[in-house]
Amino acid sequence: MTLLPAVAGVIGWPVAHSKSPLIHRFWLQALGVDGDYSRFPIAPERVGAFVRALPAMGLRGVNVTVPHKLAVMAHLDRIDEAAERVGAVNTVLVGDDGRISGTNTDVDGICEPLCGHDLHGRTMVVLGTGGAARAAVAAAVRLGAGSVTVMARTADKGRALLEAAGQPGIVLPFDAPLPAGTDIGLVFNATTLGMTGQPSLTVDLGSLPADALVFDAVYVPLETPLLADARARGLTAIDGLSMLIGQAATAFELFFGQAAPRGRDAELRALLTA
């Protein structure tokens, strides 16, 4: 089969807020690659039809954002080990043979900004049970966290996350106070709460130790109320762009066959926050 044109994109519902096109187009231009990356607003009932049409449309693949990271799995020919471990797909690839496969680069996106912080043996608190939460629990395993506390609206979903990852931990109601203790190393917001157009996330960070990290997967707005509260308390805050750029770099190489030019990250962040 002839190599598909260098075109990829992102699907979601909604997806107008996505900064992924800015990121991938910046890297394509920096490398001099004749290609493109676009947004595709796909309603939930159309996910299967769209994914199966990817080869005919000439796309090399798409990133997958909320609410499709779980639903898309039923429409793929193959799911790799990374996605199996997470239990969610955020990157769909079209092979040279036309077969459609799924992987997950979110774990890379979470681990990259945490690589300079020692979370070994400490507790990670994950808010939510969706695709980003699944990636966060998988990241906890990679980072050597001692346990994970999942704050979940549905306890069964929280327990399923821990069991799928083989990660010890507990499940607490979503509206319960954060656990206290010096072993708490990270609080990760894996929900859309706090995103522009969504309800606010109300969490009291007062029980966290002074060296705890607060990581918000939301990046619109970049400075969420959760991160502002963390900074006001002197805690280390990590914004959603860190995760977005990290996972995008892995996806970029899968889509376009070249490593993203990460030496220009400062310029990229300035573009994304302009």
Side-chain angles (χ1 to χ4, degrees), residues 42-175:
I42 305 299
E45 64 272 17
R46 301 298 300 164
V47 168
F50 182 87
V51 168
R52 300 309 307 179
L54 286 174
M57 290 188 290
L59 271 69
R60 293 191 179 182
V62 289
N63 286 125
V64 183
T65 189
V66 292
H68 302 325
K69 291 184 180 184
L70 304 183
V72 75
M73 297 174 75
H75 307 289
L76 305 176
D77 297 316
R78 190 179 73 88
I79 298 171
D80 75 1
E81 184 180 349
E84 288 281 8
R85 283 198 304 268
V86 176
V89 163
N90 84 320
T91 303
V92 172
L93 303 167
V94 179
D96 292 344
D97 59 358
R99 289 174 62 81
I100 304 168
S101 63
T103 187
N104 194 295
T105 67
D106 278 338
V107 179
D108 290 345
I110 294 169
C111 288
E112 183 181 279
L114 295 174
C115 65
H117 303 277
D118 185 9
L119 294 171
H120 192 270
R122 301 190 69 176
T123 295
M124 280 180 56
V125 180
V126 177
L127 307 175
T129 57
R134 291 169 179 262
V137 175
V141 175
R142 185 187 297 183
L143 294 165
S147 67
V148 174
T149 297
V150 179
M151 312 289 287
R153 289 193 175 88
T154 305
D156 287 347
K157 289 184 178 180
R159 286 190 288 268
L161 288 189
L162 296 174
E163 291 171 4
Q167 174 66 47
I170 61 172
V171 179
L172 296 177
F174 190 80
D175 56 357

Side-chain angles (χ1 to χ4, degrees), residues 14-30:
V15 77
H17 67 280
S18 176
K19 293 183 181 291
S20 291
L22 282 174
I23 296 172
H24 287 269
R25 287 172 179 170
F26 175 86
W27 288 335
L28 287 167
Q29 183 178 21

Side-chain angles (χ1 to χ4, degrees), residues 163-255:
E163 291 171 4
Q167 174 66 47
I170 61 172
V171 179
L172 296 177
F174 190 80
D175 56 357
L178 292 180
T182 57
D183 66 319
I184 306 298
L186 171 70
V187 174
F188 185 91
N189 176 32
T191 76
T192 58
L193 295 176
M195 181 186 292
T196 300
Q198 297 293 323
S200 298
L201 174 63
T202 303
V203 177
D204 184 359
L205 304 177
S207 64
L208 299 182
D211 63 344
L213 311 173
V214 178
F215 195 153
D216 199 336
V218 171
Y219 59 86
V220 181
L222 185 60
E223 183 73 350
T224 63
L226 178 67
L227 295 183
D229 186 21
R231 296 187 208 279
R233 295 175 185 273
L235 302 173
T236 298
I238 301 173
D239 62 56
L241 277 189
S242 301
M243 177 180 173
L244 182 68
I245 293 171
Q247 66 82 25
T250 302
F252 182 88
E253 189 163 359
L254 293 172
F255 291 145

